[in-house]
Protein backbone atom coordinates (compact mmCIF):
# COMPACT_ATOMS: atom_id res chain seq x y z
CA UNK A 1 0.00 0.00 0.00
CA UNK A 2 2.83 2.41 0.84
CA UNK A 3 4.42 1.59 -2.50
CA UNK A 4 1.21 2.57 -4.28
CA UNK A 5 1.02 5.80 -2.30
CA UNK A 6 4.66 6.65 -3.07
CA UNK A 7 4.17 5.94 -6.77
CA UNK A 8 0.92 7.90 -6.85
CA UNK A 9 2.23 10.92 -4.95
CA UNK A 10 3.97 12.53 -7.97
CA UNK A 11 0.81 12.05 -10.03
CA UNK A 12 -1.35 13.61 -7.32
CA UNK A 13 1.13 16.49 -7.05
CA UNK A 14 0.90 17.00 -10.81
CA UNK A 15 -2.88 17.07 -10.60
CA UNK A 16 -2.87 19.63 -7.81
CA UNK A 17 -0.09 21.75 -9.33
CA UNK A 18 -1.64 21.81 -12.80
CA UNK A 19 -5.42 22.12 -12.49
CA UNK A 20 -5.85 22.15 -16.27
CA UNK A 21 -4.20 18.71 -16.37
CA UNK A 22 -6.84 17.49 -13.94
CA UNK A 23 -9.74 18.77 -16.01
CA UNK A 24 -11.88 15.99 -17.38
CA UNK A 25 -13.93 15.83 -20.55
CA UNK A 26 -17.72 15.58 -20.24
CA UNK A 27 -17.60 12.14 -21.85
CA UNK A 28 -15.06 10.88 -19.30
CA UNK A 29 -17.10 12.31 -16.43
CA UNK A 30 -20.30 10.65 -17.68
CA UNK A 31 -18.53 7.31 -18.25
CA UNK A 32 -17.64 6.89 -14.57
CA UNK A 33 -18.72 3.61 -13.03
CA UNK A 34 -21.03 3.37 -10.03
CA UNK A 35 -17.96 2.51 -7.96
CA UNK A 36 -16.22 5.71 -9.07
CA UNK A 37 -19.36 7.73 -8.26
CA UNK A 38 -19.49 6.12 -4.81
CA UNK A 39 -15.84 7.05 -4.31
CA UNK A 40 -16.63 10.65 -5.30
CA UNK A 41 -19.49 10.72 -2.79
CA UNK A 42 -17.02 9.77 -0.08
CA UNK A 43 -14.44 12.40 -1.05
CA UNK A 44 -14.57 15.29 1.47
CA UNK A 45 -13.22 17.76 -1.10
CA UNK A 46 -15.97 16.85 -3.58
CA UNK A 47 -18.50 17.02 -0.72
CA UNK A 48 -17.36 20.58 -0.03
CA UNK A 49 -17.76 21.44 -3.72
CA UNK A 50 -21.24 19.87 -3.58
CA UNK A 51 -22.06 22.09 -0.61
CA UNK A 52 -21.02 25.14 -2.65
CA UNK A 53 -23.27 24.02 -5.52
CA UNK A 54 -26.19 23.65 -3.11
CA UNK A 55 -25.60 27.07 -1.57
CA UNK A 56 -25.31 28.61 -5.02
CA UNK A 57 -28.71 27.20 -6.04
CA UNK A 58 -27.16 25.14 -8.82
CA UNK A 59 -29.08 22.14 -7.52
CA UNK A 60 -32.35 24.04 -7.77
CA UNK A 61 -31.45 25.09 -11.32
CA UNK A 62 -30.74 21.47 -12.29
CA UNK A 63 -34.01 20.28 -10.80
CA UNK A 64 -36.01 22.88 -12.71
CA UNK A 65 -34.35 21.73 -15.93
CA UNK A 66 -35.13 18.09 -15.23
CA UNK A 67 -38.79 18.81 -15.97
CA UNK A 68 -37.85 19.26 -19.61
CA UNK A 69 -36.04 15.93 -19.60
CA UNK A 70 -39.05 14.22 -18.02
CA UNK A 71 -41.31 15.70 -20.71
CA UNK A 72 -38.97 14.48 -23.46
CA UNK A 73 -38.94 10.93 -22.08
CA UNK A 74 -42.73 10.87 -21.78
CA UNK A 75 -43.24 12.35 -25.23
CA UNK A 76 -40.95 9.72 -26.76
CA UNK A 77 -42.91 6.96 -25.00
CA UNK A 78 -46.27 8.43 -25.99
CA UNK A 79 -45.21 8.23 -29.63
CA UNK A 80 -44.12 4.63 -29.09
CA UNK A 81 -47.26 3.58 -27.15
CA UNK A 82 -50.08 5.96 -28.13
CA UNK A 83 -53.07 4.00 -26.75
CA UNK A 84 -52.40 4.34 -23.00
CA UNK A 85 -54.83 6.10 -20.66
CA UNK A 86 -54.16 9.14 -18.44
CA UNK A 87 -53.67 7.04 -15.28
CA UNK A 88 -50.94 5.05 -17.01
CA UNK A 89 -49.14 8.24 -18.05
CA UNK A 90 -49.43 9.76 -14.54
CA UNK A 91 -47.86 6.64 -13.04
CA UNK A 92 -45.26 6.55 -15.79
CA UNK A 93 -44.40 10.20 -15.08
CA UNK A 94 -43.86 9.46 -11.38
CA UNK A 95 -41.46 6.62 -12.26
CA UNK A 96 -39.59 8.76 -14.78
CA UNK A 97 -39.33 11.63 -12.28
CA UNK A 98 -37.79 9.26 -9.73
CA UNK A 99 -35.20 8.04 -12.23
CA UNK A 100 -34.43 11.57 -13.39
CA UNK A 101 -33.99 12.66 -9.74
CA UNK A 102 -31.36 9.94 -9.28
CA UNK A 103 -29.64 10.97 -12.50
CA UNK A 104 -29.78 14.64 -11.45
CA UNK A 105 -28.10 13.73 -8.16
CA UNK A 106 -25.32 12.03 -10.14
CA UNK A 107 -25.08 15.07 -12.41
CA UNK A 108 -24.65 17.31 -9.36
CA UNK A 109 -21.91 15.00 -8.09
CA UNK A 110 -20.11 15.25 -11.45
CA UNK A 111 -20.49 19.03 -11.39
CA UNK A 112 -19.04 19.07 -7.89
CA UNK A 113 -16.10 17.07 -9.22
CA UNK A 114 -15.45 19.81 -11.78
CA UNK A 115 -15.39 22.44 -9.03
CA UNK A 116 -13.22 20.22 -6.84
CA UNK A 117 -10.70 19.98 -9.67
CA UNK A 118 -10.39 23.76 -9.93
CA UNK A 119 -10.70 24.99 -6.36
CA UNK A 120 -8.76 24.07 -3.24
CA UNK A 121 -10.50 23.39 0.07
CA UNK A 122 -9.59 26.88 1.24
CA UNK A 123 -10.99 28.45 -1.93
CA UNK A 124 -14.21 26.46 -1.61
CA UNK A 125 -14.48 27.64 2.00
CA UNK A 126 -14.19 31.23 0.76
CA UNK A 127 -16.81 30.66 -1.95
CA UNK A 128 -19.17 29.02 0.54
CA UNK A 129 -18.59 31.87 2.98
CA UNK A 130 -19.31 34.51 0.38
CA UNK A 131 -22.39 32.88 -1.10
CA UNK A 132 -23.72 32.15 2.39
CA UNK A 133 -23.39 35.83 3.30
CA UNK A 134 -26.08 38.43 2.78
CA UNK A 135 -24.41 39.94 -0.26
CA UNK A 136 -23.74 36.52 -1.75
CA UNK A 137 -27.39 35.55 -1.31
CA UNK A 138 -28.45 38.85 -2.88
CA UNK A 139 -26.14 38.23 -5.81
CA UNK A 140 -27.81 34.89 -6.47
CA UNK A 141 -31.25 36.49 -6.24
CA UNK A 142 -30.24 39.13 -8.78
CA UNK A 143 -27.96 37.01 -10.99
CA UNK A 144 -30.54 35.80 -13.51
CA UNK A 145 -32.05 39.26 -13.92
CA UNK A 146 -28.59 40.80 -14.27
CA UNK A 147 -27.54 38.20 -16.83
CA UNK A 148 -30.57 38.88 -19.01
CA UNK A 149 -30.17 42.66 -18.64
CA UNK A 150 -26.48 42.42 -19.54
CA UNK A 151 -27.33 40.34 -22.59
CA UNK A 152 -29.96 42.89 -23.65
CA UNK A 153 -27.47 45.71 -23.06
CA UNK A 154 -24.79 43.91 -25.09
CA UNK A 155 -27.23 43.32 -27.96
CA UNK A 156 -28.37 46.95 -27.96
CA UNK A 157 -24.76 48.15 -27.73
CA UNK A 158 -23.67 46.02 -30.67
CA UNK A 159 -26.71 47.14 -32.70
CA UNK A 160 -25.78 50.76 -31.97
CA UNK A 161 -22.03 50.49 -32.41
CA UNK A 162 -21.90 48.45 -35.63
CA UNK A 163 -23.24 51.21 -37.91
CA UNK A 164 -21.03 53.81 -36.22
CA UNK A 165 -17.91 51.66 -36.61
CA UNK A 166 -18.74 50.87 -40.23
CA UNK A 167 -19.29 54.55 -40.97
CA UNK A 168 -15.95 55.54 -39.42
CA UNK A 169 -14.01 52.76 -41.14
CA UNK A 170 -15.60 53.51 -44.52
CA UNK A 171 -14.80 57.21 -44.09
CA UNK A 172 -11.15 56.38 -43.40
CA UNK A 173 -10.98 54.03 -46.35
CA UNK A 174 -12.59 56.61 -48.63
CA UNK A 175 -10.29 59.36 -47.32
CA UNK A 176 -7.35 57.21 -48.35
CA UNK A 177 -8.72 56.84 -51.88
CA UNK A 178 -8.83 60.60 -52.44
CA UNK A 179 -5.16 61.09 -51.69
CA UNK A 180 -2.79 61.06 -54.59
CA UNK A 181 0.75 59.90 -54.07
Amino acid sequence: MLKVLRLGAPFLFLLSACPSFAQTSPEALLAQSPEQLAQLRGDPHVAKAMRFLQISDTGADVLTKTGTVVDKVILAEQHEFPGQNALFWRNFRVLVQGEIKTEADNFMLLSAELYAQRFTDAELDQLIGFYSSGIGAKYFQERQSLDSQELALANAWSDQIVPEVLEKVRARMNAGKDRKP
Side-chain angles (χ1 to χ4, degrees):
M1 181 71 162
L2 285 174
K3 186 176 185 179
V4 170
L5 288 173
R6 277 191 226 131
L7 291 173
F11 180 70
L12 291 174
F13 176 75
L14 180 63
L15 283 176
S16 64
C18 304
S20 62
F21 181 80
Q23 294 175 7
T24 309
S25 72
E27 294 79 15
L29 284 169
L30 291 172
Q32 292 185 65
S33 68
E35 294 80 19
Q36 289 170 309
L37 292 175
Q39 188 176 15
L40 282 177
R41 278 189 180 81
D43 183 329
H45 187 62
V46 173
K48 191 174 281 192
M50 180 71 88
R51 183 165 175 240
F52 166 69
L53 292 176
Q54 290 164 344
I55 288 170
S56 68
D57 279 344
T58 300
D61 290 344
V62 169
L63 288 177
T64 59
K65 292 175 182 153
T66 60
T68 303
V69 177
V70 168
D71 291 342
K72 284 182 181 181
V73 170
I74 292 171
L75 187 60
E77 278 299 289
Q78 285 176 333
H79 285 301
E80 194 73 26
F81 303 101
Q84 300 298 328
N85 63 30
L87 178 61
F88 173 85
W89 291 116
R90 266 194 307 275
N91 291 334
F92 185 79
R93 177 177 288 277
V94 168
L95 292 172
V96 170
Q97 286 171 328
E99 288 299 317
I100 295 296
K101 168 78 171 85
T102 300
E103 293 299 326
D105 290 345
N106 288 339
F107 174 82
M108 289 298 296
L109 183 63
L110 298 175
S111 292
E113 183 181 9
L114 291 174
Y115 280 82
Q117 290 174 351
R118 288 169 178 79
F119 296 98
T120 66
D121 263 4
E123 291 169 333
L124 286 169
D125 285 338
Q126 289 175 2
L127 286 168
I128 290 167
F130 173 73
Y131 290 111
S132 297
S133 71
I135 191 66
K138 181 177 181 179
Y139 168 75
F140 274 113
Q141 288 174 343
E142 299 293 333
R143 181 185 67 191
Q144 192 170 19
S145 174
L146 282 169
D147 288 348
S148 63
Q149 285 180 319
E150 281 183 321
L151 182 58
L153 178 62
N155 288 333
W157 175 77
S158 66
D159 289 347
Q160 177 184 343
I161 201 77
V162 165
E164 291 174 17
V165 168
L166 281 174
E167 183 179 322
K168 290 176 183 177
V169 169
R170 286 178 183 153
R172 284 185 185 160
M173 290 175 70
N174 288 334
K177 287 181 185 177
D178 293 340
R179 294 185 197 160
K180 299 201 173 144

